[in-house]
């Protein structure tokens, strides 16, 4: 009788151990990612969030899973699929959004694949604030996004400013194909126009209330030293000559011609902020601060650009 009592619960525990919960799979995945020393920075900044995005994707669960979904038991085959995705992340150093095909930006979801940079710009915060207090959002009618990639900035801006039309240019036809998919996904075909263009070249005669850009800005040395994850992103989205300023110089030279009176130029230059300050010491840039972190974003009016 006694033996039977001991045997049954043990058998029960063994069966339970074979069916881990979603939460346990995430914890295991996070431990593996941490041990492997992968680089975060493509949508998450820690092992748990990264593991959660991969495990939930593998199990077909929503990215904001509820506690009851996290407590659910997972069949062995599904658990193996989730573990295999974590293994790919570790072995091939592929950023998680390329494995899931989805990235978040400004509270919206975008399709991503290796044809485009993974959205992560701090500009999201400015867009969510509708570019206030720098411009009256109600008077914005036309916006230009230079180097649109996945279309995230153009699309989020169109959502934030429902009275504005947005032109989105990119030199890469492959990136524009992804942006087109996202414009369709967000049903913004009437207000977001995608244009293949080397900076402003195809935009002669067009003027805007806001020109926003997250152009390539990685200098040659920094590019060589980037963690392996970044090598999966298109080089054209990152590389910007020796000092990282090749694209920004074109934007500074040409933007005033495409801005309306009191129009705004907002550009992210990331770590190239120091190179820019050195190269243009008298440029009266306002450097923005962000509550959610990130920096290297400056703002200038058309009048300031003209005066310079
Ligand atoms: C840093 S990525 C930004 C992508 C997207 N706006 C974002 O924030 O996720 C820079 C983008 O600029 C594009 N690009 C590079 N050189 C360009 C050029 N000369 N003219 C227009 N776009 C360019 C790249 O193809 C890439 O999509």
């Amino acid at each position: 009788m006694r033996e039977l009592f001991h045997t049954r619960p043990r058998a029960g525990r063994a069966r339970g151990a074979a069916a881990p919960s979603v939460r346990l799979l995430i914890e295991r995945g996070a431990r593996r990612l941490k041990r492997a020393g992968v680089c975060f920075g493509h949508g998450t900044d820690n092992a748990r969030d990264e593991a959660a995005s991969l495990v939930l994707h593998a199990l077909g669960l929503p990215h904001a899973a509820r506690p009851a979904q996290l407590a659910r038991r997972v069949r062995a085959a599904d658990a193996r699929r989730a573990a295999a995705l974590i293994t790919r992340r570790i072995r091939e150093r592929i950023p998680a959004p390329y494995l899931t095909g989805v990235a978040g930006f400004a509270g919206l979801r975008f399709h991503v694949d290796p044809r485009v940079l993974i959205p992560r710009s701090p500009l999201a915060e400015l867009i969510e604030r509708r570019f206030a207090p720098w411009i009256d959002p109600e008077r914005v009618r036309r916006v230009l996004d230079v180097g649109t990639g996945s279309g995230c900035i153009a699309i989020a801006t169109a959502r934030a400013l429902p009275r504005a039309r947005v032109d989105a240019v990119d030199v890469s036809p492959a990136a524009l194909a992804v942006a087109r998919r996202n414009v369709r996904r967000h049903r913004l075909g009437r207000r977001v126009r995608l244009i293949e263009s080397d900076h402003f070249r195809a935009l002669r005669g067009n003027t805007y209330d806001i020109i926003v850009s997250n152009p390539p800005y990685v200098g040659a040395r920094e590019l060589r030293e980037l963690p392996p994850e970044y090598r999966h992103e298109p080089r054209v989205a990152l590389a910007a000559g020796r000092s990282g300023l090749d694209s920004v110089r074109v934007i500074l030279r040409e933007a005033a011609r495409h801005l309306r009176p009191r129009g705004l130029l907002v550009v992210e230059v990331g770590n190239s902020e120091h190179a820019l300050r050195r190269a243009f010491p008298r440029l009266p840039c306002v450097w923005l601060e962000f509550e959610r972190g990130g920096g290297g974003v400056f703002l200038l009016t058309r009048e300031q650009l003209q005066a310079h």
Side-chain angles (χ1 to χ4, degrees):
M1 195 57 199
R2 227 168 168 203
E3 265 178 20
L4 204 63
F5 179 79
H6 282 295
T7 318
R8 275 194 179 149
R10 237 181 267 143
R13 270 205 303 279
R15 270 202 302 279
S21 67
V22 176
R23 186 175 283 113
L24 182 61
L25 288 182
I26 293 173
E27 278 160 18
R28 277 184 196 158
R31 277 199 296 275
R32 290 181 62 202
L33 291 172
K34 223 183 259 175
R35 259 200 318 273
V38 302
C39 164
F40 305 110
H42 289 96
T44 71
D45 60 5
N46 64 82
R48 197 186 178 281
D49 288 350
E50 185 98 352
S53 80
L54 292 168
V55 169
L56 295 173
H57 172 77
L59 301 178
L61 290 170
H63 74 283
R66 293 187 305 277
Q69 290 172 308
L70 295 178
R72 196 186 286 170
R73 298 278 156 190
V74 179
R75 285 187 317 211
D78 292 338
R80 276 198 298 277
R81 213 174 44 248
L85 204 57
I86 301 273
T87 303
R88 266 200 92 192
R89 171 73 184 85
I90 291 170
R91 287 217 182 118
E92 299 174 47
R93 288 292 202 267
I94 300 172
Y98 287 157
L99 293 169
T100 62
V102 188
F105 181 80
L108 303 170
R109 311 276 288 162
F110 294 90
H111 168 78
V112 292
D113 64 39
R115 291 175 290 177
V116 293
L117 186 100
I118 294 165
R120 54 180 171 275
S121 170
L123 284 166
E125 224 179 286
L126 182 66
I127 297 169
E128 287 168 45
R129 280 190 267 125
R130 309 178 76 218
F131 296 88
W134 307 104
I135 197 165
D136 173 6
E138 298 306 320
R139 83 165 174 88
V140 178
R141 291 291 174 275
R142 291 197 73 193
V143 180
L144 170 65
D145 172 21
V146 179
T148 199
S150 61
C152 58
I153 288 176
I155 290 167
T157 299
R159 289 284 292 261
L161 302 171
R163 299 172 78 179
R165 282 185 295 130
V166 183
D167 284 350
V169 302
D170 205 292
V171 77
S172 157
L176 287 170
V178 176
R180 197 162 301 119
R181 181 167 169 178
N182 283 317
V183 168
R184 268 202 306 272
R185 176 182 184 141
H186 290 279
R187 301 173 192 276
L188 283 167
R190 283 168 187 239
R191 287 199 296 121
V192 178
R193 181 167 66 145
L194 299 171
I195 303 162
E196 185 179 331
S197 176
D198 178 353
H199 295 105
F200 301 90
R201 198 164 283 171
L203 298 172
R204 190 170 300 186
N206 285 278
T207 57
Y208 302 92
D209 302 299
I210 301 174
I211 298 176
V212 60
S213 183
N214 173 18
Y217 57 71
V218 184
R221 185 161 168 215
E222 193 186 351
L223 196 66
R224 280 196 301 275
E225 291 168 359
L226 284 176
E229 276 79 357
Y230 294 85
R231 303 214 178 102
H232 292 274
E233 295 192 294
R235 205 181 150 83
V236 66
L238 298 170
R242 224 167 77 95
S243 64
L245 297 182
D246 282 9
S247 188
V248 181
R249 281 179 193 280
V250 178
I251 293 171
L252 286 173
R253 198 174 58 227
E254 309 274 332
R257 211 172 296 159
H258 295 278
L259 279 170
R260 294 175 171 179
R262 294 182 296 130
L264 274 189
L265 172 68
V266 190
V267 183
E268 175 176 344
V269 292
N271 290 343
S272 294
E273 173 179 339
H274 306 292
L276 186 86
R277 284 180 191 266
R278 268 198 307 277
F280 300 94
R282 281 193 295 277
L283 198 62
C285 295
V286 173
W287 292 93
L288 302 187
E289 288 180 9
F290 297 96
E291 279 171 19
R292 301 203 293 260
V297 174
F298 72 83
L299 187 143
L300 288 164
T301 61
R302 176 176 92 147
E303 290 67 27
Q304 288 171 321
L305 279 165
Q306 283 172 333
H308 191 76

